[in-house]
Amino acid sequence: MFDWLFKDEWFPKFDWNWGYTWEIIPRLLEATLNTIIAAGAGYAIALVFGLFLALAQRSKSRALTFIVRELVEFVRSTPLLLQIFFIFYVGPQVGITLSPWVSGMITIGLHYSCYLSEVYRGGIESVPKGQWEAATALNMSTLQTYKRVVIPQAIPPAIPGMGNYLVGIFKDTPMLSVIGVAELIHTANAIGSETWRYLEAYTLVGIIFLALSLPAAGFIRAFESFVRRKLGM
Amino acid sequence: MEDMSAYPLEISGDGTPMVSFQKVRKAYGPLVVLDNLDLEVATGEMVSIIGPSGSGKTTVLRMLMTLEQINAGVIYVDGRPLTHMDKAGVLVEATPKHLRARRSDIGMCFQHFNLFPHMTAIQNCMEGPVHVLGLTKAEARDRSEELLELVGMIEKKDQHPSRLSGGQQQRVAIARALAMRPKVMLFDEVTSALDPEVIGEVTNVIRKLVSEHNLTMLMVTHQMGFARDISDRVCFFYDGKIEEQGRPADLFGNPKRERTQQFLSAVKEAV
Ligand SMILES: Nc1ncnc2c1ncn2[C@@H]1O[C@H](COP(=O)(O)OP(=O)(O)OP(=O)(O)O)[C@@H](O)[C@H]1O
Ligand SMILES: [Mg+2]
């Protein structure tokens, strides 16, 4: 009765080649490793530099606070892709020549440090005022207060936000392909243009991203409760 | 600008008070909380501060702990200026460095304990001695264990604050403050956040400090009976001023000022 619905030409023709699939998997796995390295290094930069940005925004110097706040706002309101192009192609004109890898990881790291600084700021602000006052009453210095009292308590509430940006940075690594970093998309494109077969490579890339992103949420939750337990909270 | 030459660079000689507020003023914007406050506390003296809500009791302690800046006047601790420093013979506003050097004479316990939640009881006590005073871990541990013993918390020394009752947390907080060996201890309504049945365990610790140690203490409290029992002197604050002060027997037994009488009878009715 519904025969008219099932006309062959209405369906896309999937023409999946398993032999070819097995052939490209090693290259894609190598690219996966590159993607993880790029995301991991960028994230490490963002974790550290983001903390400095957060602390700078809380400093007593009005000028420093203003400059950093504007910088963070500026980075957050311009596209990452533009920043990647800018640092890689304009950098050499002002004497900063970096390899695609280094340039890409630094750009993505700085970009995400602006987001992470906001996460840290929220975490720091969630620490009750009484904790600062207790630290002052013990005559701790500002640095000691941050290091020993405030930051340990600011981290657990910041972990969900930090985790979201870890997944975010991972999903943004394909943008580095535009300057030639051999991450997953770049490699899939290369494979495709060599053989004119794109289906297998892109599908596998999607599966790889899914397989790495999906468990992240659960892992982050587990990590948060681990840290809270470790801190006795 | 205030004429600072009216204030001595230091107070010396016999009977130098441990704490001396001279013409201290504190305002939040247009709201003047304390004005022209003069208050002296002798070495080893226990002074209680009572008074209605908003009369500035907490502010007095917070200024002494350097948690609030003062707007005029000078506070001296052990004869030397706390809020100011001597710069070529003139008192100028204290730098953070000066505050840090001078504040070590003072310890404070808060209404809500403010223990560090990520540290155990003994870690809370060792934190200051190790990282501020520079004691070795072993020295700090000995000192902390001794004090946790004093406040009756030695059995729970490895517990985090979240596992302790309010009374227990407050006793750890007292041990933590004492571990810094302050000359002056400040208590701001340390029993107000506690359930009635555990108030005694905290007041008993303070009683012990009064009878066995020669600490100078300033205590804000709403417990009139306790203040009467253990104080050498009671100050009744009203509207940012000391309305009346005297020995507890006199102030509670025979208050001179009308406001004191009103306050004490209102408190009595509430009990
Ligand atoms: N940070 C602040 N900003 C503005 N006003 C403040 C601040 N801290 C205290 N005040 C005001 O200063 C006055 C005195 O406050 P303080 O806390 O010293 O009173 P208190 O005598 O301790 O009262 P209570 O018995 O309720 O604790 C109050 O009117 C209060 O509202
Ligand atoms: Mg108060």
Side-chain angles (χ1 to χ4, degrees), chain A residues 71-223:
Chain A
L71 179 82
V72 167
E73 216 33 64
F74 172 74
V75 170
R76 298 205 311 164
S77 18
T78 51
L80 173 59
L81 196 56
L82 175 68
Q83 294 162 13
I84 291 171
F85 276 133
F86 198 87
I87 294 198
F88 185 65
Y89 290 114
V90 182
Q93 291 182 16
V94 294
I96 306 168
T97 309
L98 301 167
S99 73
W101 263 95
V102 174
S103 168
M105 284 185 303
I106 288 177
T107 310
I108 213 167
L110 294 184
H111 180 85
Y112 269 91
S113 66
C114 290
Y115 286 94
L116 277 173
S117 76
E118 295 296 302
V119 174
Y120 285 130
R121 240 154 52 92
I124 289 170
E125 272 157 25
S126 75
V127 177
K129 223 173 98 229
Q131 293 290 306
W132 290 89
E133 295 181 345
T136 303
L138 290 179
N139 211 5
M140 296 170 83
S141 67
T142 308
L143 187 68
Q144 285 170 334
T145 305
Y146 269 115
K147 221 170 94 183
R148 312 257 336 145
V149 176
V150 174
I151 291 178
Q153 294 181 63
I155 294 296
I159 287 174
M162 290 161 76
N164 286 342
Y165 287 125
L166 176 60
V167 175
I169 210 168
F170 178 62
K171 287 198 296 183
D172 274 352
T173 47
M175 291 198 202
L176 298 181
S177 64
V178 297
I179 53 170
V181 172
E183 50 63 65
L184 273 166
I185 300 290
H186 191 269
T187 306
N189 280 341
I191 291 171
S193 61
E194 285 160 19
T195 57
W196 295 103
R197 296 188 61 90
Y198 287 94
L199 172 65
E200 289 84 353
Y202 283 158
T203 308
L204 286 176
V205 167
I207 290 169
I208 290 169
F209 269 103
L210 192 68
L212 290 174
S213 299
L214 263 191
F219 174 75
I220 290 158
R221 256 198 310 278
F223 184 65

Side-chain angles (χ1 to χ4, degrees), chain A residues 129-141 144 148-149 152-153 229-233, chain B residues 62 65-67 100 103-104 106 108 110 114-119 127 131-132 160 162 176 180:
Chain A
K129 223 173 98 229
Q131 293 290 306
W132 290 89
E133 295 181 345
T136 303
L138 290 179
N139 211 5
M140 296 170 83
S141 67
Q144 285 170 334
R148 312 257 336 145
V149 176
Q153 294 181 63
R229 238 193 344 273
K230 204 87 205 153
L231 294 175
M233 303 200 291
Chain B
R62 290 175 58 83
M65 191 66 257
T66 70
L67 295 171
R100 223 184 151 214
R103 141 166 93 211
S104 58
I106 303 157
M108 182 164 181
F110 302 86
N114 299 357
L115 288 177
F116 303 135
H118 55 299
M119 301 181 194
E127 182 65 23
H131 291 98
V132 178
H160 281 92
S162 57
R176 175 176 74 172
M180 299 301 284

Side-chain angles (χ1 to χ4, degrees), chain B residues 28 31 33 52-59 189 222:
Chain B
Y28 293 103
L31 176 71
V33 177
S53 183
S55 57
K57 308 181 296 294
T58 295
T59 306
E189 293 195 38
H222 286 300

Side-chain angles (χ1 to χ4, degrees), chain B residues 39-256:
Chain B
L39 172 65
E40 291 194 345
V41 184
T43 304
E45 194 182 15
M46 161 55 116
V47 174
S48 289
I49 296 176
I50 61 170
S53 183
S55 57
K57 308 181 296 294
T58 295
T59 306
V60 170
L61 300 193
R62 290 175 58 83
M63 292 187 309
L64 189 49
M65 191 66 257
T66 70
L67 295 171
E68 301 290 348
Q69 277 192 310
I70 64 175
N71 302 112
V74 179
I75 302 176
Y76 297 82
V77 174
D78 206 10
R80 287 180 293 158
L82 168 80
T83 51
H84 292 73
M85 54 194 220
D86 178 350
K87 193 177 170 194
V90 185
L91 283 183
V92 296
E93 204 176 292
T95 57
K97 197 173 152 208
H98 175 85
L99 288 178
R100 223 184 151 214
R102 301 292 291 114
R103 141 166 93 211
S104 58
D105 284 346
I106 303 157
M108 182 164 181
C109 293
F110 302 86
Q111 184 174 351
H112 297 287
F113 337 126
N114 299 357
L115 288 177
F116 303 135
H118 55 299
M119 301 181 194
T120 62
I122 193 156
Q123 285 168 344
N124 264 279
C125 296
M126 289 169 61
E127 182 65 23
V130 170
H131 291 98
V132 178
L133 303 181
L135 267 60
T136 65
K137 283 228 165 116
E139 289 167 333
R141 181 166 298 114
D142 286 349
R143 183 185 282 196
S144 301
E145 282 178 349
E146 207 170 285
L147 289 165
L148 287 172
E149 185 80 57
L150 174 83
V151 301
M153 286 298 296
I154 194 72
E155 265 94 65
K156 305 258 181 184
K157 70 183 169 80
D158 294 319
Q159 300 285 347
H160 281 92
S162 57
R163 306 283 302 274
L164 301 174
S165 73
Q168 293 173 330
Q169 289 188 53
Q170 194 60 285
R171 285 186 281 152
V172 173
I174 293 173
R176 175 176 74 172
L178 290 173
M180 299 301 284
R181 302 257 164 98
K183 295 177 182 160
V184 185
M185 273 288 280
L186 312 177
F187 297 98
D188 186 16
E189 293 195 38
V190 289
T191 56
S192 291
L194 301 180
D195 292 333
E197 70 270 20
V198 301
I199 288 178
E201 64 191 49
V202 173
T203 52
N204 282 339
V205 167
I206 298 176
R207 263 178 229 276
K208 217 191 291 185
L209 292 180
V210 171
S211 61
E212 294 170 15
H213 298 259
N214 193 36
L215 266 170
T216 306
M217 294 191 243
L218 256 171
M219 173 174 86
V220 173
T221 184
H222 286 300
Q223 291 179 273
M224 298 305 149
F226 182 52
R228 184 174 188 154
D229 266 8
I230 69 156
S231 311
D232 299 309
R233 179 154 52 108
V234 179
C235 295
F236 171 66
F237 269 71
Y238 189 91
D239 198 16
K241 290 184 204 58
I242 301 178
E243 179 78 12
E244 182 170 355
Q245 58 177 317
R247 301 222 316 270
D250 297 334
L251 192 121
F252 288 111
N254 185 20
K256 302 263 179 319

